[in-house]
């Protein structure tokens, strides 16, 4: 059915020219801008860019026409907690490039060098409407995990949009184990690391001559911390307990750090403080039950309460079981809507909000002239579990309806084929 919909919806006019122009017509266009939702609207794409959005858009002769027939049209979706390009199979160590164990440095670990643009997970993910992602490190036995990267999911040898996009760490009962088991020691370590980074930056010549005091981190790690202390990138902290978030907000104040809390199951308890401090949050609405003493006040109302308090947040696949399924963010956004979050706020949490949080909103996250043409036409409601895209554009390129899963399905689906399975 999806193939029929895809084929029937594309009409190529016989007029000459405008070879690189595509007009998506008759769409219910969720702009994610102040223009809101436009009915029977047109999105005009020229090469890799959106050049017009509205109901009175002139379509040039020769443009490719896609009739959305009233169906939703949205920006490409963005999942900000993924291992895209860094993970193929979780049980195979050689197919994982997102974590360190026993390395002499951790904060300086940059995932970008290990990214595989040919990962089989990329076409699987983009055909579900995900066009941008943040691929993040994970650490074991250290305070800092490393530096994440913003990527696009198009067909390209270079998928990195923003290298060194954010520094990752965690704060809580489990993460405190690397500092002897107490949160207070973890707070002291973070402050000492920041002081060392500032001292290192002011005394680089003395450092080269081995005339500085001892630092708690490798000098490459201190360079990574300076990206945060200078305000160039945010620090993303995996944290759940409300009391821990208050400690971190004090730390952010003291060092003027831009923080993003991720997981944040008890964020609703400090929602007003988060809004006042302009600290943004990444949540997984399916994580709504307590599992440890760090998240004993987890609730299904987290997204709604954060929205009502004015906290900017993104929805992402945070659960370990979703490492290979970043495409599940539409389901998670739907869960948030089922628990009281307004529909538009849920869509914003998987498009515009993450783009703003990771500094790529100048090019991506809304449907407006001048933006990269990351556009998705859907069969129906994007937040319904069984709804899929009919067309996915990434930077103006229509993505092929093909991935490894579909090829395997087609190879083996005909049970009456006399050729043995192993020879197909």
């Amino acid at each position: 059915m999806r193939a029929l919909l895809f084929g029937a919806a594309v009409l190529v006019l016989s007029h000459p020219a405008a070879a690189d122009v595509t007009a998506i017509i008759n769409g219910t266009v969720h702009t994610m801008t102040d223009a809101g939702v436009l009915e029977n609207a047109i999105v005009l794409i020229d090469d890799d860019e959106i050049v017009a959005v509205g109901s009175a858009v002139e379509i040039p002769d020769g443009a490719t026409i896609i009739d959305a027939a009233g169906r939703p049209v949205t920006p490409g979706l963005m999942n900000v907690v993924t291992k895209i390009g860094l993970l193929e199979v979780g049980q195979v160590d050689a197919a994982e490039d997102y974590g360190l164990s026993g390395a002499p440095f951790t904060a300086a670990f940059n995932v970008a060098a290990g990214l595989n643009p040919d990962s089989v997970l990329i076409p699987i993910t983009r055909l579900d409407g995900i066009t941008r992602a943040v691929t993040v490190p994970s650490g074991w036995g250290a305070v800092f995990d490393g530096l994440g990267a913003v990527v696009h999911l198009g067909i390209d040898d270079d998928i990195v949009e923003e290298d060194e996009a954010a520094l990752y760490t965690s704060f809580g009962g489990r993460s405190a184990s690397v500092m002897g088991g107490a949160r207070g020691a973890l707070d002291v370590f973070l402050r000492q690391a920041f002081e060392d980074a500032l001292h290192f930056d002011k005394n680089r010549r003395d450092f080269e001559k081995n005339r500085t005091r001892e630092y708690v981190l490798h000098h490459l790690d201190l360079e990574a911390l300076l990206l945060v202390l200078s305000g160039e990138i945010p620090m993303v902290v995996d944290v759940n307990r409300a009391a821990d978030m208050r400690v971190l907000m004090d730390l952010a104040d003291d060092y003027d750090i831009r923080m993003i809390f991720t997981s944040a199951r008890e964020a609703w308890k400090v929602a007003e403080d988060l809004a006042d401090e302009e600290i943004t949050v990444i949540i997984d609405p399916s994580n709504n039950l307590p599992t440890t003493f760090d998240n004993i006040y987890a609730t299904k109302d987290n997204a709604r309460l954060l929205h009502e308090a004015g906290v900017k947040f993104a929805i992402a696949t945070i659960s370990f079981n979703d490492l290979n399924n970043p495409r599940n963010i539409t389901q998670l956004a739907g869960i948030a809507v089922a628990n009281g979050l307004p529909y538009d706020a849920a869509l914003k949490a998987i498009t515009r909000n993450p783009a703003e949080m990771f500094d790529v909103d100048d090019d991506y996250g809304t449907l407006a002239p001048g933006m990269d043409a990351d556009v998705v036409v859907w069969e129906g409601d994007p937040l319904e579990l069984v709804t899929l895209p009919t067309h996915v554009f990434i930077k103006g390129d229509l993505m092929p309806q093909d991935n490894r899963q579909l090829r395997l399905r087609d190879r083996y689906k005909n049970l009456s084929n006399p050729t043995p399975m192993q020879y197909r």
Side-chain angles (χ1 to χ4, degrees), residues 249-269:
M249 282 189 270
D250 287 342
L251 186 68
D253 261 350
D254 291 346
Y255 289 94
D256 196 20
I257 293 171
R258 183 159 54 109
M259 277 193 190
I260 299 174
F261 293 161
T262 186
S263 193
R265 299 192 195 190
E266 294 185 2
W268 65 274
K269 288 174 65 66

Side-chain angles (χ1 to χ4, degrees), residues 325-383:
N325 289 296
R327 55 187 173 176
N328 286 348
I329 58 169
T330 52
Q331 179 184 1
L332 303 184
I335 289 173
V337 173
N339 289 300
L341 182 69
Y343 188 91
D344 285 348
L347 266 185
K348 190 177 287 187
I350 53 178
T351 53
R352 180 173 177 168
N353 285 0
E356 292 175 347
M357 291 161 64
F358 286 88
D359 301 324
V360 293
D361 54 306
D362 284 345
D363 302 313
Y364 158 82
T366 57
L367 297 181
M371 304 296 284
D372 284 353
D374 281 29
V375 186
V376 182
V377 184
W378 298 86
E379 290 176 333
D381 182 351
L383 305 190

Side-chain angles (χ1 to χ4, degrees), residues 7 18 22 30 33 74 124 142 197 203 240 268 308 327 343 359 422:
T22 298
H30 297 260
T33 70
T74 70
I124 292 171
N203 299 277
N240 282 297
W268 65 274
E308 290 174 356
R327 55 187 173 176
Y343 188 91
D359 301 324
Q422 63 269 31

Side-chain angles (χ1 to χ4, degrees), residues 260-282:
I260 299 174
F261 293 161
T262 186
S263 193
R265 299 192 195 190
E266 294 185 2
W268 65 274
K269 288 174 65 66
V270 291
E272 292 186 4
D273 293 333
L274 293 171
D276 289 344
E277 298 293 330
E278 297 184 342
I279 289 179
T280 55
V281 176
I282 304 167

Side-chain angles (χ1 to χ4, degrees), residues 5 17 21 42 74 144 165 202 230 233 252 274 279 359 363 398:
L5 276 171
V21 177
I42 297 168
T74 70
F144 295 102
K202 292 178 180 176
S230 66
I233 64 173
L274 293 171
I279 289 179
D359 301 324
D363 302 313
L398 180 61

Side-chain angles (χ1 to χ4, degrees), residues 266-324:
E266 294 185 2
W268 65 274
K269 288 174 65 66
V270 291
E272 292 186 4
D273 293 333
L274 293 171
D276 289 344
E277 298 293 330
E278 297 184 342
I279 289 179
T280 55
V281 176
I282 304 167
I283 60 170
D284 179 340
S286 70
N287 289 338
N288 53 32
L289 293 172
T291 55
T292 72
F293 283 103
D294 271 20
N295 55 51
I296 202 163
Y297 293 105
T299 172
K300 62 185 181 182
D301 298 321
N302 199 19
R304 175 180 64 81
L305 294 170
L306 290 172
H307 171 72
E308 290 174 356
V311 179
K312 181 180 293 182
F313 63 91
I315 289 174
T317 46
I318 293 172
S319 297
F320 180 80
N321 292 335
D322 278 333
L323 283 182
N324 285 89

